[in-house]
Amino acid sequence: MDAQSLVSFSPPSMLLTGIIVILLYTIYRFSKPRYQSNFPPLRQGWVPWIGCAFEFGVEPLAFIDKMRRKMGAIYTLYVAGERLTFLTDADDFHHFFQSANVDFQKAVQDPVQNIASVSEKSFFQFHTKIHDMVKGRLASSRLMYFHDDLCHEFDKEINAVLSVKGPCNLHEVVRKSMYIAVINNLFGQGVLPTTDQAKFKDLEKNFVLFDELFEYGARLPSFMIRDWSSSKWWLIGMFKDLYKGIKNKERTENETILQTLLHLVDDKHAPNYALLFLWASLANAVPITFWCLVFILSDQKVLSELKAEISSTLGPPGKGHTRITEKQIREMPYLRWCVLEAIRLRPVGIITRRVVKSFKIKEVVIPEGDMLMLSPYWAHRNPRYFSACEEFKPDRWKDADLEKNLFLDGFVAFGGGRYQCPGRWYAQMEIQMYVALFLHKVDCTVLSDHIPSPSTKHLVGTQQPAEPFLVELTSK
């Protein structure tokens, strides 16, 4: 052994190394959350504060199921300073949705502040008012006020995509045409730049980036996701430029939801709330529409049955404008089954509540301060409620009492409790309408040889496809 090696193993060096090891262990030991024996089993990880964030972040949906199999129906992950306690048994879900010991607003306030720069004070002052306004304006009994205009917009945009020649990515086709139609329907004709191709391209580019990195924006500092942050402020700036003109319009009974929203909130944060409403309007229903079409086009039996139902209801396709009435939508139950089955297979990854007071579930104590987590994605793969749970089987929905708007047991895609999704009836209407018009007007030749996998990295919002689904479109 040479002199340099001897120096490196000298007693002072060994002592310093020992002190560092003891110090690191002490930091780790005292940074661990103190759990009692009747708390849920804990996956701590070995890095102080970080916990199992790296494991969880690689493929969060897969990790959630892996930990369920290993740790049981209720377990906790320590992730970047937060205790995430997962409920995976459907018998326990009522605690998540109905318990007075959990709070939705306190769970989402921090992410909303990071995502849209809405202050804590403003959020707690206006969130419930916004939720109730949207719920009232988009109630099932009021969809008649949106139906005809949305149908006209979809018909126009589907005609436009028929000009695309050669192979195209169905996700991009659906996304662009639905973005324009839904924005015009909910925000008002000409309010956002949907008719200016160059300006709309900028809007689409910035919104897609904002949407794709949405959950990273909720947790990471902006300097780590500079492109996302730039898109966020571009979108907020767009609404700032429009704000005064929209708010100063004369108020009428027929004002848009955007106009009502801007009058409801404080001036400082109005553009920020407009951005959140834009995301809520587009982020889930649009990819679900894509997935619904993919599942239908990939199953010839389903496709044939649905085409027959659409044809018998709407008649032969014409060259001009196609109008679908509310009555005709109700006369196509198989269409609704297909939409709900797509929602079942591609719901949001997780929903969350903050535990504001410790309580018990099956003798397990859920401690105050935990984030209580439920995964609709995995709840909808519970064989107790959904046989052949990975298969697209629209017929399973014949057992639901949809006339009374009652879904199948185990279906939690729209959440529950006080803050159930306020736009759920509008979302179902728009997806059914778009799918019916698309299949009625378009001959779609599938070029891809398999259904694309969903991205396993997304938890907030509907999973995006991990690869293109190529098709060729021709007019009927």
Side-chain angles (χ1 to χ4, degrees):
M1 186 176 290
D2 59 25
Q4 185 175 351
S5 299
L6 287 171
V7 169
S8 65
F9 282 92
S10 64
S13 298
M14 294 175 65
L15 178 61
L16 180 60
T17 301
I19 291 172
I20 291 172
V21 169
I22 292 171
L23 181 62
L24 289 174
Y25 175 77
T26 302
I27 293 171
Y28 167 70
R29 176 69 181 81
F30 286 97
S31 67
K32 288 178 66 176
R34 298 187 178 185
Y35 267 66
Q36 301 173 6
S37 59
N38 58 347
F39 282 5
L42 170 68
R43 176 67 171 237
Q44 164 73 35
W46 64 274
V47 182
W49 190 82
I50 297 296
C52 57
F54 295 121
E55 297 173 278
F56 183 66
V58 173
E59 286 191 332
L61 281 174
F63 192 65
I64 289 169
D65 191 52
K66 177 182 176 182
M67 290 299 99
R68 177 190 65 82
R69 296 172 187 275
K70 182 176 181 179
M71 301 172 71
I74 305 174
Y75 64 86
T76 300
L77 304 179
Y78 187 64
V79 177
E82 284 276 20
R83 301 186 305 272
L84 312 181
T85 295
F86 286 82
L87 300 184
T88 64
D89 186 340
D91 288 341
D92 300 328
F93 288 175
H94 67 282
H95 294 287
F96 184 92
F97 292 119
Q98 300 168 13
S99 174
N101 300 307
V102 302
D103 189 284
F104 171 77
Q105 291 180 309
K106 290 183 178 178
V108 302
Q109 183 272 316
D110 275 347
V112 166
Q113 187 165 354
N114 293 335
I115 289 162
S117 299
V118 172
S119 71
E120 179 179 358
K121 179 181 177 182
S122 179
F123 175 83
F124 284 114
Q125 182 178 357
F126 294 111
H127 172 262
T128 298
K129 295 177 182 178
I130 294 170
H131 176 275
D132 291 350
M133 180 274 288
V134 174
K135 178 182 176 181
R137 292 289 298 274
L138 298 181
S140 59
S141 60
R142 292 183 56 86
L143 294 183
M144 66 184 78
Y145 299 111
F146 300 91
H147 186 279
D148 288 351
D149 177 68
L150 184 62
C151 184
H152 175 76
E153 290 287 337
F154 278 157
D155 186 69
K156 180 177 66 175
E157 295 306 322
I158 290 172
N159 285 338
V161 301
L162 286 169
S163 63
V164 177
K165 303 301 180 185
C168 56
N169 183 356
L170 183 61
H171 186 221
E172 293 178 358
V173 167
V174 171
R175 184 165 62 194
K176 181 175 181 179
S177 55
M178 287 193 75
Y179 278 7
I180 292 174
V182 173
I183 287 172
N184 285 340
N185 189 238
L186 293 179
F187 288 71
Q189 285 284 346
V191 174
L192 298 189
T194 54
T195 57
D196 185 312
Q197 189 170 353
K199 289 182 179 179
F200 179 77
K201 190 173 182 180
D202 285 340
L203 167 59
E204 183 183 22
K205 179 187 72 174
N206 282 286
F207 181 80
V208 167
L209 179 57
F210 178 79
D211 181 28
E212 288 181 346
L213 298 181
F214 185 86
E215 60 201 76
Y216 297 98
R219 293 295 176 191
L220 298 177
S222 58
F223 72 85
M224 296 181 67
I225 42 175
R226 293 185 185 277
D227 289 345
W228 178 86
S229 184
S230 294
S231 290
K232 162 188 161 178
W233 288 110
W234 187 96
L235 292 163
I236 290 175
M238 175 188 67
F239 283 113
K240 281 183 178 178
D241 291 341
L242 298 170
Y243 174 53
K244 286 185 180 179
I246 297 171
K247 189 172 180 181
N248 290 338
K249 284 185 178 180
E250 182 182 353
R251 301 200 69 180
T252 68
E253 293 181 357
N254 298 322
E255 70 183 19
T256 66
I257 295 181
L258 177 62
Q259 193 175 355
T260 306
L261 173 68
L262 297 182
H263 281 280
L264 186 63
V265 301
D266 58 303
D267 290 344
K268 179 180 178 181
H269 295 99
N272 310 60
Y273 284 112
L275 170 59
L276 289 173
F277 183 60
L278 180 68
W279 183 83
S281 302
L282 303 177
N284 292 320
V286 173
I288 283 290
T289 305
F290 160 77
W291 286 115
C292 188
L293 284 171
V294 168
F295 290 133
I296 292 166
L297 293 168
S298 301
D299 188 319
Q300 285 303 312
K301 181 176 180 296
V302 171
L303 179 61
S304 296
E305 187 167 348
L306 182 55
K307 278 186 171 181
E309 181 181 74
I310 293 171
S311 179
S312 66
T313 305
L314 303 184
K319 295 296 183 182
H321 174 59
T322 302
R323 180 175 182 266
I324 301 178
T325 66
E326 291 180 274
K327 181 174 181 291
Q328 287 172 324
I329 289 284
R330 291 193 296 271
E331 290 171 350
M332 294 186 282
Y334 194 69
L335 170 64
R336 190 177 186 192
W337 298 353
C338 288
V339 169
L340 288 171
E341 183 67 350
I343 294 172
R344 182 189 72 82
L345 284 169
R346 295 292 184 268
V348 298
I350 57 169
I351 50 180
T352 185
R353 303 286 189 269
R354 176 73 73 181
V355 180
V356 293
K357 183 180 179 181
S358 297
F359 68 107
K360 282 187 177 182
I361 301 177
K362 294 177 178 173
E363 302 307 313
V364 176
V365 174
I366 311 298
E368 179 181 339
D370 277 21
M371 293 289 279
L372 195 63
M373 318 295 284
L374 188 154
S375 173
Y377 181 89
W378 287 114
H380 292 175
R381 284 159 172 74
N382 185 340
R384 173 178 164 189
Y385 294 106
F386 306 104
S387 61
C389 57
E390 290 289 354
E391 295 180 18
F392 183 73
K393 295 176 62 177
D395 285 340
R396 74 171 82 241
W397 287 91
K398 68 175 61 174
D399 295 328
D401 191 352
L402 297 178
E403 288 294 321
K404 296 181 180 178
N405 287 322
L406 297 176
F407 303 117
L408 291 174
D409 289 343
F411 183 78
V412 293
F414 300 118
R418 173 68 175 84
Y419 293 104
Q420 191 172 15
C421 174
R424 60 193 181 277
W425 307 120
Y426 180 91
Q428 291 176 74
M429 176 189 73
E430 66 177 302
I431 300 169
Q432 290 176 72
M433 187 186 294
Y434 187 95
V435 170
L437 281 169
F438 187 92
L439 295 177
H440 186 61
K441 298 173 74 71
V442 179
D443 271 327
C444 186
T445 302
V446 175
L447 304 178
S448 293
D449 60 1
H450 65 281
I451 294 174
S453 301
S455 169
T456 56
K457 294 183 179 181
H458 291 88
L459 286 178
V460 181
T462 300
Q463 298 83 45
Q464 306 289 337
E467 56 194 303
F469 187 74
L470 298 179
V471 296
E472 192 158 5
L473 311 176
T474 55
S475 177
K476 286 188 176 180

